[in-house]
Amino acid sequence: MFKLYYAAHTCSLAPHIALEDSGAEYELCRIDFSNTQQHSADYLKINPKARVPAMVTPRGILTETPAMLAFIAQSYPNARLAPLDDPFAFAEMQSFNSYLCSTLHVAHAHRMRGHRWAYEASSFADMQRKVPESVGICYDLIEAEMLKGPWVMGDNYTIADPYLFTLAQWLEDDGVDPKRIPRVIEHRSRMSERPNVKKAIAEELAVESRA
Amino acid sequence: MFKLYYAAHTCSLAPHIALEDSGAEYELCRIDFSNTQQHSADYLKINPKARVPAMVTPRGILTETPAMLAFIAQSYPNARLAPLDDPFAFAEMQSFNSYLCSTLHVAHAHRMRGHRWAYEASSFADMQRKVPESVGICYDLIEAEMLKGPWVMGDNYTIADPYLFTLAQWLEDDGVDPKRIPRVIEHRSRMSERPNVKKAIAEELAVESRA
């Protein structure tokens, strides 16, 4: 049994979907960002980074989305969520996920989290102005070079798919014109039709609307 | 046979050390950042992201340091560079590496690469002012919560060690007082005594000084 600490509209949706895909038993625990619950003393014991996702496992707590996704895939090999027997294909998938966490998600975060990297309101505004360009460059690269299709890694669905889908929720708000990245948008649409994706999103939004 | 595209004083030192540790056959190819060779048409064919490291393998080209490090460990299991038979321990190691690429390295990059995320010189200067704090927070967390000791993951040396060592080259220039993170500094010192580390650094600097 796992316990996933999540917040709606964050990258914790990616491991949430992957847990559904894996068939693992898990429970959800919502962290309320509107009350800055991620900085509460109780949550800092779970994740001293004050971020989501965090996943409690029988062996200990995991953080960082790419690591968590690979762990889910390796723990449930029958779900075939990663090319576990092919180190090169596994590395290609990990490379994709690493780009999402270290480049795409970081570019996006400059829209609302500029205080992580600067002090002045004028800098935050300047960062926000650049987000359509910096996030757009990432999506252009994903569109042209990285998304093999129909799934991220080609014919086989992997943990890279829920991760791209999750971050792609935000691209219009980041000011990226979806018309310039038709393959990414087609991938997002196809992902949104999967029952596990619908279930994960519905679970997060149902709790959100009751909160 | 692998071919590692690298530049001195960048995170490509991490896979360089890991390749030494693995016993793999490899050759080095220096990318000259002083001539912006990373943006040359020839290099963009290798890595359209215009970054290092990139590693040519018989199966194709890999980018992104955490993916490359795990690939080296999985490809040379006898070198015991990762807990390959324990998905949870492997995930903890990957979580560490993911934090380095998506948080520590990103915080550091705001000292010299502010143009990735903003337009104005005033923003770049503001970002530079924040680097000692933002990078310092990362090292405080690594010191207190993440570095198990004596190696990153505890008793066993892994690919997380050359990665931390590589980024820790920059902490004084980032304005972080080494006295506040004695365990990180002790790890860096111990790493610097390893013959493979000395060899990798000497190779990079010898080419640099001839250039």
Side-chain angles (χ1 to χ4, degrees):
Chain A
M1 172 71 100
F2 299 133
K3 184 173 185 176
L4 180 68
Y5 288 86
Y6 80 98
H9 315 299
T10 74
C11 64
S12 53
L13 179 61
H16 187 178
I17 294 169
L19 283 168
E20 277 296 319
D21 289 332
S22 73
E25 283 191 59
Y26 69 97
E27 59 179 320
L28 293 170
C29 186
R30 175 176 176 265
I31 298 301
D32 185 356
F33 277 31
S34 72
N35 290 329
T36 64
Q37 190 185 353
Q38 72 270 34
H39 293 286
S40 66
D42 281 351
Y43 188 66
L44 291 176
K45 287 179 202 155
I46 302 292
N47 185 3
K49 298 171 191 167
R51 307 264 182 104
V52 292
M55 191 165 85
V56 180
T57 83
R59 292 275 299 278
I61 295 168
L62 288 177
T63 58
E64 304 294 333
T65 298
M68 210 176 287
L69 290 171
F71 173 72
I72 293 167
Q74 290 185 326
S75 298
Y76 294 87
N78 291 340
R80 298 179 178 276
L81 297 174
L84 300 176
D85 299 325
D86 181 337
F88 182 79
F90 186 76
E92 283 191 304
M93 182 198 70
Q94 293 227 105
S95 175
F96 187 89
N97 289 348
S98 192
Y99 183 74
L100 295 194
C101 80
S102 66
T103 307
L104 172 56
H105 195 159
V106 167
H108 157 80
H110 284 73
R111 179 158 61 85
M112 294 190 296
R113 314 273 186 214
H115 55 86
R116 289 179 183 165
W117 305 290
Y119 293 109
E120 305 292 340
S122 59
S123 305
F124 305 157
D126 186 20
M127 290 173 178
Q128 287 174 344
R129 280 195 298 277
K130 184 124 188 181
V131 165
E133 180 181 330
S134 59
V135 172
I137 289 169
C138 295
Y139 277 113
D140 288 345
L141 191 73
I142 291 169
E143 176 84 9
E145 307 274 354
M146 294 170 66
L147 172 56
K148 295 182 179 179
W151 303 114
V152 168
M153 299 311 302
D155 290 336
N156 298 316
Y157 177 94
T158 70
I159 47 173
D161 293 295
Y163 199 10
L164 175 61
F165 171 77
T166 295
L167 301 198
Q169 304 298 298
W170 312 329
L171 65 89
E172 284 92 346
D173 286 344
D174 284 343
V176 177
D177 182 355
K179 290 195 200 72
R180 88 193 227 192
I181 47 171
R183 300 176 65 243
V184 170
I185 299 302
E186 197 276 331
H187 176 269
R188 188 175 69 175
S189 300
R190 196 149 21 81
M191 279 295 293
S192 70
E193 293 303 314
R194 289 171 70 92
N196 289 343
V197 173
K198 289 182 178 179
K199 177 168 183 280
I201 291 175
E203 280 171 342
E204 295 192 4
L205 296 183
V207 176
E208 200 75 2
S209 66
R210 285 198 303 273
Chain B
M1 172 70 100
F2 300 133
K3 184 173 186 175
L4 179 68
Y5 288 85
Y6 80 99
H9 315 299
T10 75
C11 63
S12 55
L13 178 62
H16 186 178
I17 294 170
L19 283 168
E20 278 295 320
D21 289 333
S22 73
E25 284 191 56
Y26 69 96
E27 59 179 319
L28 293 170
C29 185
R30 175 176 177 265
I31 299 299
D32 185 356
F33 278 31
S34 72
N35 289 330
T36 65
Q37 190 186 354
Q38 71 270 36
H39 294 286
S40 66
D42 281 350
Y43 188 65
L44 290 176
K45 287 180 203 155
I46 302 293
N47 185 4
K49 299 171 190 166
R51 306 264 182 104
V52 293
M55 191 166 85
V56 180
T57 84
R59 291 275 299 279
I61 295 168
L62 288 177
T63 57
E64 304 293 332
T65 298
M68 209 177 288
L69 290 171
F71 173 72
I72 293 166
Q74 289 185 327
S75 298
Y76 294 86
N78 292 341
R80 298 178 178 278
L81 297 175
L84 299 177
D85 299 324
D86 181 338
F88 182 78
F90 186 75
E92 284 192 304
M93 182 198 71
Q94 292 226 106
S95 175
F96 187 90
N97 288 347
S98 192
Y99 183 74
L100 294 194
C101 79
S102 66
T103 307
L104 173 55
H105 195 158
V106 168
H108 156 81
H110 283 73
R111 179 158 60 86
M112 293 190 297
R113 314 275 188 212
H115 57 84
R116 289 179 183 165
W117 305 291
Y119 293 110
E120 305 293 339
S122 59
S123 305
F124 305 157
D126 187 20
M127 290 172 177
Q128 287 174 344
R129 279 195 298 276
K130 184 124 187 179
V131 165
E133 180 181 330
S134 60
V135 172
I137 289 169
C138 294
Y139 277 112
D140 287 345
L141 191 73
I142 292 169
E143 176 83 9
E145 306 275 355
M146 296 170 64
L147 172 57
K148 295 183 180 178
W151 303 113
V152 167
M153 298 311 301
D155 290 335
N156 298 316
Y157 178 94
T158 70
I159 47 173
D161 292 295
Y163 199 11
L164 175 61
F165 170 77
T166 294
L167 300 198
Q169 304 299 298
W170 311 329
L171 65 89
E172 285 91 347
D173 285 344
D174 284 343
V176 177
D177 181 355
K179 289 194 200 72
R180 85 195 229 190
I181 47 171
R183 299 176 65 244
V184 171
I185 300 302
E186 197 276 331
H187 176 268
R188 187 175 70 176
S189 298
R190 198 148 19 82
M191 280 294 294
S192 70
E193 294 302 314
R194 289 172 69 91
N196 289 344
V197 173
K198 289 183 178 179
K199 176 167 183 278
I201 291 175
E203 279 172 343
E204 295 193 3
L205 296 183
V207 175
E208 201 75 3
S209 66
R210 283 199 302 274

